[in-house]
Amino acid sequence: MNMMTNLFSIFDPATSLNFNLNWTSTFILLFIIPLQFWFQSSRMKNLMFSVSKNLNQEFSNLLKSKFGMTSLFISIFLFIMINNVLGLFPYIFTSSSHLSFTLSLALPMWMTIILFSWMKNTKNSLAHLVPQGTPIMLMMFMVCIEMISQLIRPLTLAVRLAANMIAGHLLMTLLGNLGTNINTLMFPLFLVIQLLLIILESAVAIIQAYVFSILLTLYVKEV
């Protein structure tokens, strides 16, 4: 039990002062990202504009709308990606590994989409519960299945993001604890494995942010 407590202590947002200072990593970049603090363009700024431009083009093709609609999903992608990548640095709390963080993003977005769909497009929302070509005997079951699939969407969004971040960080923690007991001859191999794992986790951090935002975009497209 103590071993498991120590293992998951890296995901504990509490501090010795009984104040959740670790959560400040979620918002700290909001003070340095605004463009008015920069006098000239940097490579990081150009990279962010390039990513935003490509995402805007892709989201616009899905939603058939202009930047005003896609900017919300671009902001969600950048916000999640930055928090995921920050969690790979030492002594920085990974807020995206907590359901309180992921649910606070997924649940309001899902509720907004559902309420807008049922208030503005009630007939099509009801028709969407029964796929075209469904036999009459199966319609009742299909309605139940579609309702359940609609209700669990925010939970699947939140759990997918949190579980992927937790899994990678736990693996890195387990391998890191082995570093003090490993043989000297095997230490170079250990470093190579850790480096490859960090590269993999960096890719996962970006991919999970993209998956979260693209799924929200597809949910809006259904509306």
Side-chain angles (χ1 to χ4, degrees):
M1 183 67 182
N2 292 331
M3 179 180 178
M4 295 301 294
T5 303
N6 294 332
L7 185 62
F8 283 90
S9 62
I10 59 174
F11 301 103
D12 185 11
T15 61
S16 59
L17 300 177
N18 294 323
F19 185 70
N20 295 337
L21 293 174
N22 289 328
W23 288 104
T24 55
S25 64
T26 306
F27 308 102
I28 193 65
L29 286 181
L30 297 178
F31 298 98
I32 62 176
I33 283 182
L35 300 181
Q36 60 265 26
F37 294 114
W38 301 95
F39 290 101
Q40 61 182 1
S41 298
S42 62
R43 284 180 291 181
M44 181 61 68
K45 176 182 174 181
N46 294 332
L47 177 62
M48 297 292 280
F49 272 116
S50 178
V51 172
S52 300
K53 181 179 179 181
N54 292 331
L55 288 175
N56 176 53
Q57 182 178 1
E58 183 170 353
F59 292 159
S60 298
N61 293 333
L62 290 175
L63 298 175
K64 306 298 182 182
S65 63
K66 297 182 179 180
F67 186 76
M69 183 64 182
T70 60
S71 59
L72 173 63
F73 302 104
I74 295 175
S75 301
I76 292 175
F77 168 81
L78 294 176
F79 181 65
I80 297 176
M81 182 191 69
I82 290 172
N83 280 278
N84 291 347
V85 174
L86 276 178
L88 298 175
F89 289 88
Y91 306 107
I92 296 183
F93 173 64
T94 310
S95 56
S96 55
S97 63
H98 278 260
L99 285 176
S100 58
F101 175 89
T102 56
L103 272 177
S104 64
L105 289 176
L107 191 58
M109 290 296 300
W110 173 83
M111 290 184 64
T112 303
I113 295 170
I114 291 297
L115 290 176
F116 178 83
S117 175
W118 284 94
M119 292 175 62
K120 297 294 184 179
N121 207 2
T122 306
K123 184 182 294 186
N124 290 336
S125 298
L126 291 172
H128 185 70
L129 296 177
V130 182
Q132 188 176 3
T134 303
I136 299 178
M137 297 298 294
L138 297 178
M139 285 185 177
M140 183 180 299
F141 299 101
M142 291 304 300
V143 170
C144 295
I145 293 173
E146 289 294 327
M147 286 294 295
I148 293 174
S149 67
Q150 291 283 343
L151 293 175
I152 65 173
R153 279 182 175 181
L155 185 61
T156 55
L157 280 174
V159 171
R160 181 187 292 109
L161 177 58
N164 279 280
M165 299 310 299
I166 288 177
H169 283 68
L170 282 180
L171 183 57
M172 293 176 64
T173 302
L174 289 173
L175 289 178
N177 292 334
L178 294 176
T180 57
N181 301 323
I182 199 169
N183 191 358
T184 306
L185 297 177
M186 297 295 296
F187 194 74
L189 179 61
F190 173 77
L191 289 179
V192 172
I193 295 176
Q194 281 283 61
L195 179 60
L196 293 176
L197 185 59
I198 291 175
I199 295 174
L200 176 62
E201 280 302 302
S202 301
V204 169
I206 299 174
I207 291 172
Q208 288 304 315
Y210 176 77
V211 169
F212 192 96
S213 58
I214 200 69
L215 285 177
L216 283 178
T217 307
L218 293 176
Y219 295 160
V220 173
K221 183 183 178 181
E222 292 182 1
V223 177

